[in-house]
Amino acid sequence: MFQFATKTMRQKNKPITIDGIDKKILRKLMADARTPILEIGRHVGISGAAIHQRLKKLEKSGLISASRCIINPRILGYTTLAFVGIHLDKSMRSPEAVKLLKRIPEIIECHYTTGNFSIFTKVLCKNNEHLMHLLNDSILSISGVTSTETFISLDQQIDRQIKI
Amino acid sequence: MFQFATKTMRQKNKPITIDGIDKKILRKLMADARTPILEIGRHVGISGAAIHQRLKKLEKSGLISASRCIINPRILGYTTLAFVGIHLDKSMRSPEAVKLLKRIPEIIECHYTTGNFSIFTKVLCKNNEHLMHLLNDSILSISGVTSTETFISLDQQIDRQIKI
DNA sequence: TTTGAAATCGGTTGACG
DNA sequence: CGTCAACCGATTTCAAA
C-alpha cells in the first residue's frame, strides 16, 4: 500500500506546480485517504504507476502533510465543542501557559492570536458541565491566566479543507 | 484495500464499546489512515482478518467517520489563518447568511455560537491583504452582516483530535 | 512523464475453533 | 472473537518509450 512518509523521513520540501491530474488525485484522497492508487488511475485515465510517482512528488513537496482517519467524538459522548479565548497576565510568559495547555486533552487547537485574546483555543467536552470544569479547574487554574471567554458551538455548518 | 464506507452506504450507527485493541487500531489510523491492516495486526498481535472485522465494527458504529489526506495550505501560499466572529442584524435569518457563507471557499469552518457573535468562522487566506478583501468584499457585503471581529492566528501550537 | 510487466504485499471472504 | 487459507487486487520497482 502506498504510505505517506513520516515527518522524520521527509526531506526538505521542494517547490511544486500542480496540474489538473494532481488536483484530481488530491481531491480523491482528501475525500478518502484509502482510495486505491489503481482506482485513482482509472478515474483520471493514467496508469497506477504514474499516480504513484505523482503521489511521491506531492508528498515530497509537503503539500500532502498527513493522512488521518477522522473520529466522530459524539460517538464517545463528546457533544460540546467550544472556542475559548484566554487572557494572560502580562507578567506571564505565553510559552509557559501553552506548555500547560498542551497537557489538557480537551484542548484540540491552540493559537497565539491578534485581537482581544492572548491565546485562542478550541475545546471538546462531553457536555456543558464538563466544559465548566475544564474552564474552572484546568484552564483558569493555570497561573497567569486571568480570564476566559467562551463561545459554544451550537451547530457546525461548515467543516472542510482548502479548496483545490 | 480496506475502504471506509461512504455516508450513503453507512447504516444507522450501533452503540459500541471499544477495548484496548480497538484503541490501538484507532491510534494507528488516526496517525496514518493508510497504515496497512496487516501491519496493524502485527503491531497489536492478532491476525489481519481480525483487524478487518474490528474495523468494520468501528465503522458501523460511526466512530470512524472518514479518512482524509491532509493538505498543507502553506505550500499553496495560504499563510494566514484567522477566526472571524460575525454579528448579524436581528432581522436577518441566520440560515440565509450561512447559505451565502458556504459559497466562500476561504471559510473552512462555520458555527452558530453562544456568546458575543451570531456566527463564528475559521478562514484561510493567502496573506493579510487577502483577508482584508475577504472581510470587506465577501463577508461584510452579505446583507444582515453588521460587523465582524477578527483574530488572526500568529502561530498554531496545538492541532489534534480527541484523545483515544 | 508515462507505460506494462513482474514481484511482493495487502484486503477480503468463508469455514471453522 | 479469533485463526487459517485461498483468492484477488493493490503497491512498488524498473526498463523502455
Side-chain angles (χ1 to χ4, degrees):
Chain A
M1 167 178 311
F2 184 89
Q3 269 189 279
F4 302 118
T6 61
K7 273 183 186 170
T8 49
M9 293 160 63
R10 199 186 299 136
Q11 309 296 337
K12 205 174 272 174
N13 297 348
K14 297 186 197 170
I16 192 175
T17 52
I18 63 172
D19 64 13
I21 293 178
D22 291 321
K23 288 183 185 178
K24 285 186 181 177
I25 296 171
L26 289 169
R27 286 193 202 111
K28 274 278 187 195
L29 290 172
M30 286 166 80
D32 179 359
R34 291 185 73 105
T35 311
I37 288 180
L38 290 179
E39 190 183 314
I40 300 172
R42 289 187 290 268
H43 181 247
V44 307
I46 61 176
S47 71
I51 302 290
H52 184 259
Q53 285 193 200
R54 279 168 177 269
L55 229 22
K56 282 200 293 197
K57 177 195 71 177
L58 291 168
E59 198 201 315
K60 278 211 178 121
S61 76
L63 181 52
I64 295 179
S65 62
S67 89
R68 307 194 187 295
C69 88
I70 309 299
I71 301 304
N72 181 354
R74 290 172 180 280
I75 306 297
L76 297 177
Y78 284 75
T79 58
T80 298
L81 179 67
F83 296 92
V84 179
I86 297 176
H87 296 277
L88 285 184
D89 194 284
K90 59 187 167 190
S91 70
M92 178 62 175
R93 288 184 57 245
S94 299
E96 298 294 324
V98 169
K99 196 177 157 193
L100 295 170
L101 292 171
K102 283 183 181 170
R103 297 197 193 140
I104 302 175
E106 289 92 340
I107 296 179
I108 58 174
E109 287 189 38
C110 171
H111 307 255
Y112 291 120
T113 49
T114 66
N116 195 26
F117 305 112
S118 309
I119 292 174
F120 198 74
T121 65
K122 188 177 178 181
V123 306
L124 196 49
C125 292
K126 296 202 174 198
N127 48 44
N128 288 352
E129 194 186 331
H130 181 186
L131 174 59
M132 190 183 71
H133 286 119
L134 174 72
L135 292 168
N136 293 330
D137 303 341
S138 300
I139 296 179
L140 280 168
S141 75
I142 293 175
S143 81
V145 172
T146 54
S147 64
T148 63
E149 188 172 341
T150 303
F151 308 91
I152 298 173
S153 172
L154 300 171
D155 189 24
Q156 181 162 3
Q157 291 280 331
I158 300 178
D159 187 8
R160 60 192 176 200
Q161 290 195 67
I162 189 173
K163 192 179 178 187
I164 299 291
Chain B
M1 166 180 312
F2 184 89
Q3 270 189 278
F4 301 118
T6 61
K7 272 183 189 173
T8 49
M9 293 158 64
R10 201 186 299 136
Q11 310 295 337
K12 203 172 275 174
N13 297 348
K14 297 186 198 169
I16 193 176
T17 52
I18 63 172
D19 64 11
I21 293 179
D22 291 322
K23 288 183 184 178
K24 285 185 182 178
I25 296 171
L26 289 169
R27 287 193 201 113
K28 273 278 187 197
L29 290 172
M30 287 166 81
D32 179 358
R34 293 184 72 106
T35 311
I37 287 180
L38 292 180
E39 190 183 314
I40 299 171
R42 290 187 290 267
H43 180 247
V44 307
I46 61 176
S47 71
I51 302 290
H52 185 258
Q53 283 185 222
R54 281 169 176 268
L55 228 23
K56 280 201 293 199
K57 177 196 71 176
L58 291 168
E59 200 201 313
K60 278 209 178 124
S61 76
L63 181 53
I64 295 179
S65 63
S67 90
R68 308 193 186 296
C69 89
I70 308 299
I71 300 304
N72 180 355
R74 290 173 179 278
I75 306 297
L76 297 176
Y78 284 75
T79 57
T80 297
L81 178 68
F83 296 91
V84 178
I86 297 176
H87 296 276
L88 285 184
D89 192 285
K90 59 186 168 190
S91 68
M92 178 63 174
R93 288 186 56 247
S94 299
E96 298 295 323
V98 169
K99 196 176 155 191
L100 295 169
L101 291 171
K102 284 183 181 171
R103 297 198 193 141
I104 303 175
E106 290 92 341
I107 297 179
I108 57 174
E109 287 188 38
C110 172
H111 306 255
Y112 292 120
T113 47
T114 66
N116 196 25
F117 304 111
S118 310
I119 291 174
F120 199 74
T121 64
K122 188 176 178 181
V123 306
L124 196 49
C125 293
K126 295 202 174 197
N127 48 44
N128 288 351
E129 193 185 334
H130 181 186
L131 175 60
M132 190 182 72
H133 285 119
L134 173 72
L135 292 169
N136 293 331
D137 302 343
S138 300
I139 296 178
L140 280 168
S141 75
I142 293 174
S143 82
V145 172
T146 55
S147 64
T148 63
E149 188 172 341
T150 303
F151 308 91
I152 298 173
S153 172
L154 300 170
D155 189 24
Q156 181 162 3
Q157 291 279 332
I158 300 178
D159 188 8
R160 61 191 175 200
Q161 289 194 68
I162 189 174
K163 192 179 179 188
I164 299 291

